[in-house]
Amino acid sequence: MYLTALQQGLLFSLLALGVYISFRILNIPDLTVEGSFVLGMTTAVMTSGKVSPLLCLLIAFLSGSLAGLFTGFLQVKVKIHPILAGILTGTGLYSVNLFILKGIPNVTIFQNVTVFKIFSKWFSSMPVMYSRTLLLVIFCIITVIITAVFFKTRLGLSIRAVGDNESMVKSSSINSGFVKCLALALSNGLVGLSGGIVSQFNAYADIYYGSGMVVVGLASVIIGEALFGKRSVTIGLISSAVGCVVYYMIIGIAYNFDMPSYSIKLISALIVIIALALPTIKISLSDFKIKREARKNANLK
Amino acid sequence: MLTLNNISKTFFKNTVNEKKAIDNISLHLDRGEFVSILGTNGAGKSTLFNAISGSFLTDSGNIYLDGKNITGLCEHRTAKIIGRMFQDPLKGTAPNMTIEENLSLAYSKTSKFSLSAGVKRKDRIYFKEILSTLGLGLEDRLKTKVGLLSGGQRQALTLLMATIVTPKLLLLDEHTAALDPATAKKVLKITNDIIYKDNITTFMITHNIANALSMGTRTIMMDEGKIVLDIKGEERNNMTAEGLLKLYSQKNNKQLDNDRILFSVVK
């Protein structure tokens, strides 16, 4: 059970990184994710068998970033509200995805070569289960390192500044609209890449796979913050990836209690709500204590 | 250095709320001139700054900076040659980023986007050096998040960021108004030091008449989108705060008289 949870967590950790970029660094809850995740899946599946599986993943990344770029365009140039822009792109992508899958909602690629098959062949001494997990770990670590380094560059700094204080960015002669688009492209690129890896791992693409993905991403980011605290971006990225694994552990435990499989969405939503509510509850509890003390003192007088 | 040619800006045109914020202003600033602007709220001072820095398009007129026509250039482009500071200390810095990260964003102003390291070792030494000139002890706190600094410290840092790449024009929009008197004095002194060191052409909005006269080389007074007073040199040196107030009310009364005359003509 723990291995499955670990695998699931690692698979979606890239999605969590993408959500961290838009939700925490850019300060925009981006709902493009549901569409761009499936877009990564569909493009990776439809190109698989034709080009090398690694190239399929690159295509998944690029198509995801294109979706992000479009959302960015809607936000910056057409000036549509960020949440609505994401919903619009996500909705449109549903048709695009079906179009890519040629109208079939579920396409399998069991016979095709995937990165996982290649990797298991290299490490044939290892049980397939473990080699697949090892590859996921490698993917996850490489992506975290690359993104963490990217956010140390000037461009990365500009992205962080746009999320932090947009008016300051403008007076530093940075084109904030351009930076925003770029950040959304990167964020959704990672989401698309995650979709691509998931499709190769499961050897199929499903048009309905994306629903609830935003919540998975948000839950990972928030659980990560609960574990590591809000500190630097590097730690934030690592904590989001770890948070994703923890999230699937929690889901796995919930399954052990004989829950029906369709309760998973409710559980995920509840996890996010509880995690988001904790800080507020903490504050009102301490406020309550202070008030009670004050009342006591008033009575003494 | 800076030349404004008949610029006008009207907000909410053709509605009952129509407001002429800038009314056909022409102005020339020489290189290295330090001009302070006085005026009541709504006189058009900040609008003038917004027009120069390209926050919005003016209805008419041209703006030249250092011989270059900058009319209609968007904000992030003019920011390359214009440094700007606001009244609100929160506006000029990114709170969740460290001091060195903030400085490096401002420092990379003129260079192109790049994937090179955000804060280089060489930069760090330079940042320490210029931070030490502030005398606020910030040079030892490069890794501190800016959100943890006080308003005065943040404003001093913003000033440094606005001038780290010497701008052709520095716009200061009441940058000490939100600070306590002692801190305001300190920030103003730092402002003066930086401006004179680099001989920066500066425009400073202030509500403090004493400051307007003691700092800089020229004082302008605005009212209803027009420049009503422009003094420099000998005349300015002999001017006192009381004298300026008197002159201001005189000018205002005169305008009022003009309005009355206008109305009577209409009747």
Side-chain angles (χ1 to χ4, degrees):
Chain A
M1 173 205 131
Y2 289 111
L3 189 66
T4 332
L6 179 66
Q7 283 177 342
Q8 292 280 318
L10 289 167
L11 276 172
F12 294 99
S13 62
L14 300 187
L15 169 109
L17 294 182
V19 172
Y20 178 79
I21 292 172
S22 58
F23 183 61
R24 277 295 182 231
I25 298 183
L26 216 49
N27 245 329
I28 297 171
D30 177 30
L31 301 180
T32 320
V33 170
E34 312 230 326
S36 54
F37 183 82
V38 183
L39 184 67
M41 273 188 135
T42 56
T43 46
V45 161
M46 292 317 271
T47 48
S48 105
K50 295 178 184 110
V51 291
S52 96
L54 221 56
L55 192 61
C56 294
L57 293 182
L58 182 68
I59 290 168
F61 177 83
L62 290 178
S63 55
S65 12
L66 243 115
L69 211 58
F70 187 71
T71 306
F73 170 78
L74 290 184
Q75 278 179 28
V76 173
K77 288 288 169 199
V78 195
K79 303 212 188 305
I80 296 177
H81 188 279
I83 293 180
L84 188 57
I87 293 176
L88 288 173
T89 316
T91 309
L93 277 176
Y94 180 81
S95 300
V96 174
N97 287 326
L98 262 179
F99 184 73
I100 292 170
L101 292 176
K102 296 183 180 138
I104 308 157
N106 190 313
V107 175
T108 55
I109 47 164
F110 289 120
Q111 68 291 353
N112 290 353
V113 185
T114 65
V115 279
F116 296 100
K117 282 185 189 161
I118 297 174
F119 197 75
S120 326
K121 220 177 271 170
W122 286 352
F123 294 85
S124 45
S125 55
M126 212 188 275
V128 178
M129 273 245 284
Y130 291 122
S131 67
R132 276 158 73 94
T133 315
L134 181 64
L135 182 60
L136 285 176
V137 172
I138 293 170
F139 264 130
C140 182
I141 289 174
I142 289 177
T143 322
V144 168
I145 290 174
I146 291 176
T147 15
V149 169
F150 172 76
F151 277 105
K152 294 250 180 252
T153 65
R154 263 189 215 158
L155 190 52
L157 281 186
S158 321
I159 291 178
R160 290 175 52 200
V162 167
D164 213 11
N165 186 348
E166 205 169 333
S167 72
M168 169 259 187
V169 168
K170 276 185 192 153
S171 45
S172 296
S173 93
I174 295 162
N175 186 345
S176 63
F178 171 76
V179 172
K180 217 182 253 179
C181 285
L182 210 80
L184 282 172
L186 175 68
S187 154
N188 281 290
L190 287 173
V191 173
L193 180 62
S194 177
I197 294 175
V198 169
S199 76
Q200 294 208 358
F201 188 84
N202 295 335
Y204 74 85
D206 189 300
I207 191 79
Y208 300 111
Y209 216 107
S211 80
M213 278 303 139
V214 175
V215 177
V216 173
L218 288 180
S220 312
V221 171
I222 292 160
I223 291 172
E225 272 169 5
L227 293 175
F228 290 77
K230 273 187 208 173
R231 275 181 285 180
S232 67
V233 171
T234 312
I235 292 178
L237 289 166
I238 297 169
S239 71
S240 303
V242 175
C244 193
V245 175
V246 173
Y247 168 80
Y248 276 100
M249 294 284 179
I250 297 174
I251 296 284
I253 292 168
Y255 267 137
N256 265 14
F257 284 107
D258 264 348
M259 298 258 202
S261 65
Y262 47 75
S263 59
I264 184 171
K265 294 256 152 95
L266 181 63
I267 296 167
S268 355
L270 283 177
I271 290 173
V272 174
I273 291 171
I274 291 167
L276 281 176
L278 274 179
T280 325
I281 294 170
K282 243 187 226 165
I283 290 170
S284 44
L285 259 179
S286 70
D287 277 3
F288 175 72
K289 267 182 203 154
I290 292 169
K291 276 182 201 156
R292 201 176 51 188
E293 284 297 308
R295 234 176 283 140
K296 247 189 222 161
N297 291 340
N299 285 343
L300 283 178
K301 274 174 192 169
Chain B
M1 194 64 171
L2 175 76
T3 309
L4 307 176
N5 269 342
N6 307 317
I7 60 164
S8 295
K9 176 77 188 177
T10 307
F11 289 116
F12 311 115
K13 224 174 195 168
N14 300 327
T15 68
V16 273
N17 292 325
E18 184 171 297
K19 162 121 182 90
K20 234 177 190 173
I22 308 179
D23 191 0
N24 207 19
I25 285 185
S26 293
L27 187 68
H28 179 78
L29 260 66
D30 285 324
R31 188 180 297 269
E33 226 173 354
F34 181 176
V35 183
S36 52
I37 310 181
L38 282 165
T40 51
N41 291 326
K45 304 170 308 266
S46 297
T47 313
L48 186 69
F49 275 20
N50 283 335
I52 295 170
S53 58
S55 298
F56 50 66
L57 286 172
T58 49
D59 297 333
S60 60
N62 288 311
I63 304 164
Y64 296 92
L65 182 58
D66 201 19
K68 207 177 135 206
N69 188 352
I70 59 163
T71 325
L73 273 186
C74 44
E75 221 174 338
H76 68 265
R77 277 179 209 271
T78 59
K80 268 194 182 147
I81 43 177
I82 298 177
R84 195 173 181 198
M85 271 183 82
F86 300 95
Q87 181 178 348
D88 185 357
L90 308 180
K91 241 180 167 175
T93 43
N96 288 315
M97 293 170 72
T98 62
I99 293 179
E100 60 174 17
E101 284 168 340
N102 269 286
L103 278 171
S104 108
L105 271 174
Y107 193 44
S108 56
K109 224 179 196 184
T110 46
S111 64
K112 284 248 161 209
F113 261 137
S114 77
L115 292 175
S116 61
V119 188
K120 298 194 192 79
R121 195 166 301 150
K122 197 177 65 196
D123 297 347
R124 203 165 281 150
I125 296 165
Y126 178 59
F127 293 163
K128 270 197 173 167
E129 195 187 306
I130 53 168
L131 278 169
S132 67
T133 62
L134 293 180
L136 297 172
L138 293 180
E139 61 273 18
D140 302 321
R141 299 172 66 188
L142 279 180
K143 304 260 186 217
T144 306
K145 281 190 179 170
V146 172
L148 299 173
L149 303 183
S150 71
Q153 288 171 325
R154 279 184 82 160
Q155 211 57 334
L157 180 65
T158 313
L159 183 66
L160 214 54
M161 287 167 62
T163 53
I164 192 166
V165 175
T166 307
K168 293 199 166 135
L169 177 70
L170 182 62
L171 301 176
L172 305 171
D173 192 345
E174 283 188 72
H175 66 303
T176 58
L179 309 177
D180 68 75
T183 316
K185 210 170 165 189
K186 206 166 184 181
V187 172
L188 279 179
K189 190 187 168 297
I190 297 168
T191 312
N192 240 341
D193 291 348
I194 291 178
I195 289 169
Y196 283 114
K197 192 184 87 205
D198 295 328
N199 195 27
I200 304 170
T201 316
T202 309
F203 235 150
M204 180 177 81
I205 294 176
T206 175
H207 279 305
N208 186 326
I209 298 181
N211 281 343
L213 286 174
S214 65
M215 288 179 76
T217 57
R218 182 176 169 188
T219 299
I220 284 174
M221 203 177 258
M222 278 183 77
D223 192 57
E224 310 242 321
K226 287 194 180 82
I227 293 174
V228 289
L229 187 77
D230 186 350
I231 51 171
K232 60 179 165 186
E234 192 78 359
E235 189 187 358
R236 184 170 178 272
N237 289 340
N238 296 329
M239 186 61 74
T240 56
E242 290 81 29
L244 201 64
L245 270 178
K246 217 184 222 169
L247 209 60
Y248 179 62
S249 58
Q250 250 175 33
K251 293 249 177 186
N252 264 9
N253 280 334
K254 209 166 139 202
Q255 269 195 332
L256 214 69
D257 285 340
N258 280 343
D259 286 349
R260 272 191 203 138
I261 293 162
L262 268 174
F263 277 120
S264 60
V265 169
V266 173
K267 268 179 192 167

